[in-house]
Amino acid sequence: MDLFVDVVFNLPLRQAFLYRVPPSLAPMAGVGKRVMAPFGRRRLAGYIVGVRGEAGVEELETAPERVKDVIDIIDDEPLFDENRLALYRWISSHYLAPLGEVIGTAHAIEAEPREERVFHPTPEGMAAEDRDDLPGRILALIKRKGKASIRTIRRSFRGKAIYAALSSLKKRGLIEERTYMRGGGGRRERVVSYTGKDVKGLERAPKQMAILKRVAACGEVLLEDLRKEFPNLHGPLRALKDKGLIEISSREVVRAWEDEPLPAHNGTLMPEQERVLERIREGLGREGVFLLHGVTGSGKTEIYLRLMAEVVSRGRRVVFLAPEIALVSRLSRYILARFRRVALIHSGLSKGERLEQLNAIKRGEVDVVAGPRSAVFMPLRDVGLIIVDEEHEPSYKQEEGVRYNARDVAILMGRFYGCPVLLGSATPSVESFHSAMEGRFHYLELPRRVEGRPMPVVRIVDMRGEKRELSGILLRAMEERLSQGQQVILFINRKGYCPTIICRDCGYVYKCPHCLIALTYYKRRRHLRCHYCGFIVDAPSICASCGGYRLRPLGIGIEKVVEEVERAFPGARVGRVDREVVRKGERVWEAFDRGELDILVGTQVIAKGYHFPRVTLVGVVAGDQALNLPDFRATERTFQILTQVAGRAGRGEEPGEVIIQTYNPEEPCFRSVADHDYRAFYEREVALREEVGYPPFSRLINLIFEGRDMDGVILEARKLKERLEGFEGKGLEILGPGPAFYQRLRGRWRWQMVLKGKGEFQPALKEALLEHRPSRGVKMTIDVDPVHLL
């Protein structure tokens, strides 16, 4: 009886495809394994999501003889089981994303398998006489090595007609071609081992003898170690291999874990921390969501670490999510100080390092997995706790491919594992806090800083009368702090020297030709750059429009703030941290932590979870920068980032001060920040959202249409609106279509349409969206707004 499988591909395709499994491969087929299968004119790797017999094919009214065969089954063990497949199906349904893309996103670390052509000599080829033409030399190479890949042959005969030569050798029956699957393994190391063969005739080759003695003494030696001990190793090693005295093999690097006991951490907790810890301990072993709302510096990290230790001591495992790589790196110091078996997963690691960590997780050698949003998909077994630090951060939302929110997926994972999920933040998202107030989450609060330290004093500075970017009040406060040997942080959430350059004669603004967005000016590099498509052009000296010379920077960025600080305090040691210097950012953090820098100027990366006891002053250069963006969460984002960056001040023995510069000092958001009053902010914000019907009182889907022909994009958006009009008035409101905020990006025009529903969207509406096929040249992206999956 033939076996058939349903296969999905990591492509924007909604359906699964049916394939037959050849009898030779049938014993290996199973849900969760990857297959190589023909797809049109290509051969692609796909995922098995269903297995069926001939009866199952007849149900599909498909003639079995018309079904194509899979070429190969890639994996010995499945990447996922039926339970996890159910989770992927749910994510696919909720985010209206193709199942293949969901699985591809969850298993992105596994190397994309590739086919490798390898040529073996036939018995006739082994017996053939050597010839000096190209086919003869290629055959000699294959015979000498026993087999040779197409890459090896290309490398050995650069610029030669190797394909014609290989074809000739195959037709003559001197070689045979086999296809192997490559990819999916971790880092590998080459090992030299002694075969045990009797040593004769090496007396005249002292270097070979020395190498062989070294290998024989240990049984096997890493090739890398031999190279350090013996210069010019290649020739002697090859001679030993040809004589059959040694073998050179490759194996996967297996991480060695240290067994030494770690120092105990028995510091005293505050009563509030003890109560929070006890509440969560009571919830271990069963599903549920806890919202830990603790002011900055209240000791949330210590609670995380003690809970992790509790879970690990019970023989279970922990997933710890942080919003950014930089924060993962900082928090990993605390985690690694208390736990040995830790896997750090993030894109800053090399491909081999990520695979090494993944394979250690699969082998059950890891107790704690820490990383940004992708770490939520790690195949950790027997999870006892999931922690989402800074749960309010928008970076938990994936903005490309499958647009999932890792916080919400973590809550779903808690159900999957039957374990609690702990959301932590000093500024919870409005949706999270509303869920806690409605009783869907367990609400826990840490209203005070550790050791009774006071919250920083926050001053709002009106910039409407100031002529420079740094107010006199801020400069005097900086001078006072520096004179006392204390440290200062300045926050400006804008890259470059300034947002753009403008001509004072004609008003011309330099914009990206592909994105219709003003180009950011970088003074030190003397160029203008688009942060969306990467377009770069040299900074002009004359206006491209009128030929005038009065070109002036417009606005302020981090480079300009650094320049102003260095001018005002020439003796101060100034550091800068933003995404432009992210590679050396860790060195800047360490220098600041050691007191080797006096002033740190940074973008939003400095606002998240860092602890610098010497910082007593934080200055916010442009507090209202994001306040008026066309986003219903703009006020919430502003409150969160200002509260978080203000929390960097006064975390040591000395009290802290925060100065926020703004052109809108009457804005209620700033008053809530100054009063450290989250509830006042929340009550205003949630009342406004209820009035206009935005989350958490509704659900949103943003449909983005893009293409190179603007008329085609507009027509496609209007066509879909007409199709969806039948759902209006049934709990659905359609906003738009209209131009997106960034109307053109990377040469493609963009329009958007927002669907707003009071509850769960109707299945018929979801089906209509999934069935809609945009016209050729137009891409439609479905972006489901984050919403808690409870």
Side-chain angles (χ1 to χ4, degrees):
M1 181 176 176
D2 285 339
L3 190 68
F4 296 83
V5 290
D6 296 312
V7 177
V8 294
F9 297 93
N10 190 3
L11 295 171
L13 301 171
R14 306 286 172 183
Q15 71 270 36
F17 296 86
L18 185 67
Y19 288 90
R20 192 180 77 91
V21 182
S24 61
L25 297 177
M28 296 177 61
V31 169
K33 291 187 176 183
R34 289 174 296 177
V35 298
M36 184 62 67
F39 191 83
R41 296 182 179 180
R42 297 179 288 171
R43 301 202 287 188
L44 298 177
Y47 304 93
I48 298 178
V49 295
V51 179
R52 64 178 78 212
E54 288 184 6
V57 177
E58 292 169 1
E59 291 174 6
L60 300 176
E61 298 181 355
T62 301
E65 61 273 10
R66 298 186 60 186
V67 179
K68 294 181 180 180
D69 286 1
V70 299
I71 298 166
D72 197 2
I73 294 180
I74 299 168
D75 303 299
D76 295 328
E77 298 295 330
L79 301 183
F80 53 87
D81 58 16
E82 292 277 7
N83 288 333
R84 191 164 273 252
L85 176 59
L87 173 72
Y88 295 154
R89 290 189 188 279
W90 198 100
I91 294 172
S92 171
S93 172
H94 178 76
Y95 291 105
L96 305 182
L99 179 60
E101 288 192 337
V102 172
I103 298 173
T105 299
H107 295 274
I109 293 180
E110 274 100 351
E112 189 66 28
R114 66 181 186 277
E115 290 182 303
E116 185 172 43
R117 299 169 65 192
V118 179
F119 298 90
H120 296 253
T122 62
E124 293 80 4
M126 292 298 294
E129 294 183 1
D130 292 341
R131 296 171 52 180
D132 196 38
D133 58 359
L134 181 61
R137 283 184 285 143
I138 291 177
L139 178 60
L141 172 70
I142 296 172
K143 288 164 63 176
R144 187 173 69 249
K145 289 182 170 291
K147 62 182 179 181
S149 69
I150 188 68
R151 289 189 302 164
T152 300
I153 297 169
R154 274 202 308 258
R155 192 165 53 241
S156 302
F157 300 95
R158 294 185 188 278
K160 306 294 184 180
I162 64 168
Y163 293 102
L166 288 168
S167 177
S168 170
L169 291 170
K170 285 194 291 183
K171 287 178 181 177
R172 289 156 54 192
L174 301 179
I175 62 171
E176 63 179 1
E177 180 181 343
R178 300 176 192 171
T179 301
Y180 296 90
M181 299 309 306
R182 303 298 187 205
R187 289 193 301 145
R188 303 191 72 81
E189 57 190 8
R190 301 187 73 189
V191 179
V192 181
S193 55
Y194 176 47
T195 60
K197 187 176 179 181
D198 188 29
V199 179
K200 288 182 180 179
L202 287 186
E203 295 80 6
R204 297 181 182 180
K207 190 168 184 178
Q208 292 181 36
M209 179 65 79
I211 293 171
L212 189 61
K213 285 182 177 179
R214 171 75 173 85
V215 175
C218 301
E220 63 178 26
V221 180
L222 290 178
L223 180 58
E224 183 181 357
D225 293 341
L226 281 180
R227 282 181 176 143
K228 294 175 183 176
E229 297 178 37
F230 299 95
N232 303 317
L233 182 68
H234 180 72
L237 207 63
R238 183 170 177 178
L240 289 170
K241 184 180 178 185
D242 290 343
K243 294 170 182 174
L245 296 172
I246 63 169
E247 290 180 348
I248 302 175
S249 57
S250 174
R251 68 186 183 193
E252 184 180 336
V253 175
V254 178
R255 183 173 178 179
W257 304 98
E258 299 180 29
D259 295 325
E260 295 83 13
L262 289 164
H265 293 261
N266 298 317
T268 304
L269 298 180
M270 295 194 308
E272 296 96 322
Q273 289 176 298
E274 289 282 9
R275 284 195 292 270
V276 165
L277 198 57
E278 190 55 36
R279 280 280 307 279
I280 302 173
R281 277 176 179 154
E282 292 171 359
L284 294 178
R286 59 179 182 272
E287 67 178 75
V289 182
F290 294 87
L291 176 62
L292 176 56
H293 178 199
V295 298
T296 56
S298 59
K300 295 187 291 295
T301 302
E302 182 61 28
I303 287 176
Y304 299 155
L305 294 169
R306 296 202 182 202
L307 285 169
M308 290 160 69
E310 177 82 18
V311 171
V312 171
S313 70
R314 298 185 184 187
R316 303 194 71 181
R317 296 176 171 90
V318 179
V319 176
F320 183 94
L321 301 183
E324 304 240 353
I325 295 175
L327 192 55
V328 172
S329 299
R330 297 288 295 181
L331 289 171
S332 67
R333 297 181 178 184
Y334 300 110
I335 296 172
L336 292 170
R338 305 198 193 184
F339 304 93
R340 287 283 185 232
R341 299 172 14 127
V342 178
L344 301 178
I345 303 290
H346 56 76
S347 59
L349 302 175
S350 69
K351 184 177 182 180
E353 288 171 330
R354 292 198 300 273
L355 284 166
E356 179 188 345
Q357 304 271 35
L358 176 65
N359 291 333
I361 293 170
K362 288 180 175 180
R363 291 192 297 265
E365 298 173 357
V366 170
D367 295 323
V368 178
V369 169
R373 58 177 176 260
S374 59
V376 76
F377 291 114
M378 290 301 100
L380 202 60
R381 294 191 291 271
D382 201 18
V383 173
L385 177 65
I386 302 173
I387 299 172
V388 184
D389 190 30
E390 309 291 357
E391 66 85 26
H392 64 279
E393 277 292 333
S395 51
Y396 279 122
K397 173 84 181 315
Q398 173 89 359
E399 295 296 345
E400 300 290 339
V402 180
R403 300 195 169 203
Y404 70 94
N405 185 286
R407 175 200 61 197
D408 292 355
V409 173
I411 293 173
L412 187 62
M413 285 284 195
R415 287 184 186 173
F416 174 75
Y417 287 116
C419 73
V421 178
L422 175 58
L423 311 178
S425 177
T427 53
S429 66
V430 169
E431 292 85 355
S432 293
F433 199 80
H434 183 261
S435 291
M437 296 300 99
E438 293 288 307
R440 291 190 291 273
F441 293 176
H442 304 286
Y443 180 69
L444 306 169
E445 187 176 16
L446 294 174
R448 297 188 301 142
R449 283 188 161 183
V450 295
E451 299 179 3
R453 292 171 186 155
M455 297 296 291
V457 175
V458 180
R459 299 167 65 186
I460 309 298
V461 175
D462 186 352
M463 293 295 289
R464 286 175 291 193
E466 296 284 344
K467 297 181 180 179
R468 301 181 66 177
E469 282 76 11
L470 302 181
S471 64
I473 293 174
L474 178 56
L475 289 172
R476 287 191 293 274
M478 291 174 66
E479 184 176 14
E480 179 183 350
R481 300 291 177 170
L482 293 175
S483 67
Q484 298 173 11
Q486 298 167 1
Q487 291 178 309
V488 176
I489 286 178
L490 293 183
F491 170 69
I492 172 72
N493 201 20
R494 184 160 283 163
K495 295 182 250 185
Y497 187 82
C498 63
T500 191
I501 288 178
I502 189 170
C503 176
R504 295 283 295 276
D505 293 326
C506 69
Y508 180 77
V509 173
Y510 284 82
K511 293 185 177 180
C512 175
H514 311 295
C515 302
L516 294 184
I517 293 172
L519 293 169
T520 301
Y521 175 47
Y522 285 80
K523 185 175 182 179
R524 293 186 179 181
R525 299 182 183 180
R526 300 258 342 136
H527 68 220
L528 298 168
R529 183 191 307 178
C530 175
H531 291 139
Y532 294 89
C533 72
F535 175 79
I536 294 177
V537 64
D538 291 339
S541 56
I542 60 173
C543 177
S545 177
C546 70
Y549 290 90
R550 297 205 305 153
L551 299 178
R552 296 289 183 271
L554 184 66
I556 185 171
I558 188 170
E559 285 186 2
K560 190 173 184 181
V561 173
V562 170
E563 184 179 272
E564 291 287 328
V565 169
E566 291 175 338
R567 183 185 297 119
F569 305 100
R573 299 165 298 176
V574 182
R576 165 189 157 201
V577 175
D578 62 4
R579 293 189 185 277
E580 297 299 317
V581 293
V582 69
R583 292 190 180 276
K584 63 179 182 180
E586 194 62 31
R587 295 199 298 271
V588 177
W589 291 124
E590 290 171 358
F592 193 65
D593 207 7
R594 291 192 300 265
E596 297 170 6
L597 296 174
D598 303 310
I599 302 170
L600 186 63
V601 184
T603 56
Q604 63 180 355
V605 295
I606 68 172
K608 299 168 185 174
Y610 296 107
H611 178 75
F612 298 114
R614 299 184 187 91
V615 173
T616 57
L617 175 65
V618 169
V620 178
V621 177
D624 40 17
Q625 206 166 47
L627 196 57
N628 297 310
L629 290 175
D631 181 352
F632 73 92
R633 290 191 174 95
T635 302
E636 179 183 8
R637 301 272 193 257
T638 299
F639 174 82
Q640 288 168 341
I641 194 71
L642 294 184
T643 299
Q644 292 285 340
V645 76
R648 301 315 105 200
R651 298 171 76 96
E653 299 299 326
E654 298 295 328
E657 180 183 13
V658 181
I659 294 176
I660 299 175
Q661 300 184 156
T662 174
Y663 290 93
N664 299 283
E666 297 85 10
E667 167 62 44
C669 170
F670 296 134
R671 179 46 49 201
S672 296
V673 174
D675 294 340
H676 305 288
D677 193 346
Y678 174 86
R679 285 183 179 267
F681 156 75
Y682 168 79
E683 287 168 4
R684 277 195 314 274
E685 185 70 12
V686 81
L688 178 61
R689 293 197 194 179
E690 186 173 20
E691 181 181 340
V692 296
Y694 274 102
F697 303 100
S698 66
R699 297 192 176 186
L700 303 179
I701 295 178
N702 189 22
L703 304 174
I704 304 167
F705 305 85
E706 56 180 295
R708 298 195 178 278
D709 177 28
M710 183 170 65
D711 292 336
V713 170
I714 297 171
L715 180 63
E716 191 64 41
R718 289 174 175 167
K719 275 171 52 181
L720 182 58
K721 180 173 183 179
E722 290 177 7
R723 184 175 180 181
L724 299 180
E725 282 177 347
F727 295 96
E728 280 195 285
K730 302 175 183 178
L732 179 72
E733 181 182 356
I734 302 176
L735 307 178
F741 179 61
Y742 296 117
Q743 190 174 358
R744 192 171 185 232
L745 283 181
R746 305 176 187 92
R748 300 172 68 86
W749 296 96
R750 304 170 77 246
W751 270 48
Q752 69 180 19
M753 180 165 63
V754 178
L755 309 182
K756 185 162 68 168
K758 292 182 179 178
E760 183 66 39
F761 290 106
Q762 301 175 38
L765 172 65
K766 290 184 177 182
E767 196 64 31
L769 292 175
L770 294 175
E771 289 178 354
H772 182 71
R773 295 289 181 268
S775 304
R776 187 177 181 84
V778 178
K779 176 185 176 183
M780 183 182 80
T781 300
I782 303 175
D783 190 354
V784 180
D785 191 73
V787 59
H788 290 304
L789 309 181
L790 285 180

